[in-house]
């Protein structure tokens, strides 16, 4: 089914917590010279994958493809090495990259419009294009401006950086132009370097600046945990967690009654369950209100704030929904020998 211009625009815009700039996005979709816009997303292979990265990326990539875009997923193995992930061992980093691709395939990512590109291979293949671009970006920005971007690596502003890590923002900025991306679809935590790319477009008088669609960073399941972290396994659900592990983690999750703000369980319903199922089903005894199917987040939040929907209703329903989403991934890692070996290797490291 062919979508209208408005449908494509709203579908893409629904991905981002922030869109810079909406008018540029609409113009891009109207451009007859760009019938298939290129969206770019990148990731550092660095250990096991949690559902914020696994399911949310699958949802967003499928939306981009439905909107008529091509998606280039940049497997940033060299970047992970620069950032000293997996002890800087490129072989281990590439194993993690292959494990992540296996997960997205099993999770239902529409691979028809996706191209996976390894940074080490592409940069080596087209070094004469890539490095002059990195050098030009570095020449046009002072060290202070570049170090302000270093939070994209998960590094604090005041953290002492290696010289290699100073390269990182210049390289990530260059990736956008190297991949000929029209749209940068990354998390809000990558916003600074995407803005650097727009500034560089102005500096070099490029006709079109990359559009930034920054998705929301989903929290961990503990109170006040702004971002789901692999380093706190009890507060993160991993893509190959079994049913019992998912049930336990959600049972222990922070979920204050009547409160929406800062409630991780409601965030996962809004950003994962509703986009996946377009509904949220609660099963409970008649004396507790009986079964109810919510068809919108507004309806759910109204019941939650009033107390008609309780954390004891939300948690088992959320766990059940996530377990249904994760079942094909579990099945794949249980039946595919190659996937089993990859997971075993990733867990060791």
């Amino acid at each position: 089914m062919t979508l209208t211009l408005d449908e494509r625009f709203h579908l893409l815009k629904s991905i981002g917590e922030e869109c810079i700039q909406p008018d540029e996005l609409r113009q891009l979709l109207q451009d007859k010279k760009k019938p298939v816009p290129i969206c770019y997303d990148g990731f550092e292979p660095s250990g096991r994958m949690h559902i914020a990265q696994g399911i949310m990326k699958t949802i967003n990539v499928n939306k981009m493809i439905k909107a008529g875009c091509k998606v280039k997923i940049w497997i940033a193995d060299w970047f992970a090495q620069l950032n000293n992930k997996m002890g800087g061992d490129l072989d281990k980093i590439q194993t993690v990259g292959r494990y992540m691709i296996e997960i997205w395939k099993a999770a239902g990512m529409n691979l028809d419009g996706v191209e996976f590109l390894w940074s080490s291979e592409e940069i080596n293949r087209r070094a004469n294009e890539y490095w002059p671009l990195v050098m030009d970006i570095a020449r046009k920005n002072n060290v202070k401006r570049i170090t302000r971007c270093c939070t994209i690596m998960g590094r604090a502003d005041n953290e002492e950086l290696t010289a290699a890590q100073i390269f990182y923002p210049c390289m990530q900025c260059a990736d956008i132009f190297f991949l000929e991306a029209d749209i940068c679809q990354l998390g809000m935590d990558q916003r600074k370097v995407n803005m650097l790319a727009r500034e560089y477009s102005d500096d070099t008088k490029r006709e079109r600046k990359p559009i930034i669609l920054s998705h929301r960073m989903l929290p961990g399941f503990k109170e006040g945990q702004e971002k789901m972290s692999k380093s706190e396994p009890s507060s993160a659900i991993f893509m190959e967690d079994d049913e019992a592990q998912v049930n336990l983690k959600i049972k222990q999750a922070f979920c204050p009654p009547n409160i929406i703000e800062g409630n991780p369980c409601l965030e996962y319903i809004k950003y994962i369950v509703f986009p996946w199922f377009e509904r949220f089903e609660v099963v409970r005894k008649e004396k507790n209100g009986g079964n109810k199917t919510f068809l919108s987040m507004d309806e759910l939040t109204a019941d939650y704030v009033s107390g008609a929907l309780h954390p004891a209703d939300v948690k088992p329903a959320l766990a059940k929904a996530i377990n249904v989403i994760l079942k094909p991934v579990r099945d794949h890692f249980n039946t595919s020998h190659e996937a089993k070996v990859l997971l075993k290797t990733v867990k060791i490291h």
Side-chain angles (χ1 to χ4, degrees), residues 150-212:
C150 285
T151 52
I152 62 171
M153 298 182 283
R155 305 290 172 184
D157 279 330
N158 58 357
E159 194 171 337
E160 191 171 329
L161 301 168
T162 65
Q165 286 164 331
I166 301 290
F167 288 167
Y168 195 116
C170 298
M171 289 172 65
Q172 187 170 325
C173 182
D175 294 343
I176 294 163
F177 304 102
F178 183 67
L179 297 171
E180 300 178 329
D182 300 301
I183 298 170
C184 302
Q185 202 295 285
L186 297 101
M188 285 294 290
D189 60 341
Q190 303 298 303
R191 185 183 188 277
K192 286 181 180 177
V193 79
N194 291 333
M195 290 303 294
L196 182 70
R198 285 178 64 86
E199 290 166 20
Y200 179 71
S201 297
D202 287 334
D203 291 342
T204 52
K205 298 182 170 51
R206 289 176 181 252
E207 185 184 346
R208 180 176 273 152
K209 291 184 272 199
I211 294 154
I212 305 171

Side-chain angles (χ1 to χ4, degrees), residues 73-130:
I73 297 183
W74 190 237
I75 309 169
D77 50 355
W78 264 9
F79 292 75
Q81 190 175 34
L82 280 174
N83 205 9
N84 206 32
K85 296 293 174 73
M86 311 302 285
D89 185 320
L90 195 60
D91 287 339
K92 289 177 184 174
I93 289 165
Q94 289 173 342
T95 299
V96 177
R98 290 194 297 276
Y99 147 85
M100 289 178 151
I101 292 170
E102 284 293 311
I103 284 184
W104 285 318
K105 285 179 183 174
M109 185 180 281
N110 180 356
L111 299 178
D112 290 345
V114 175
E115 187 178 10
F116 289 105
L117 297 164
W118 294 82
S119 69
S120 56
E121 288 177 12
E122 293 300 309
I123 292 169
N124 278 335
R125 193 169 62 83
R126 294 164 53 200
N128 60 324
E129 293 172 61
Y130 188 79

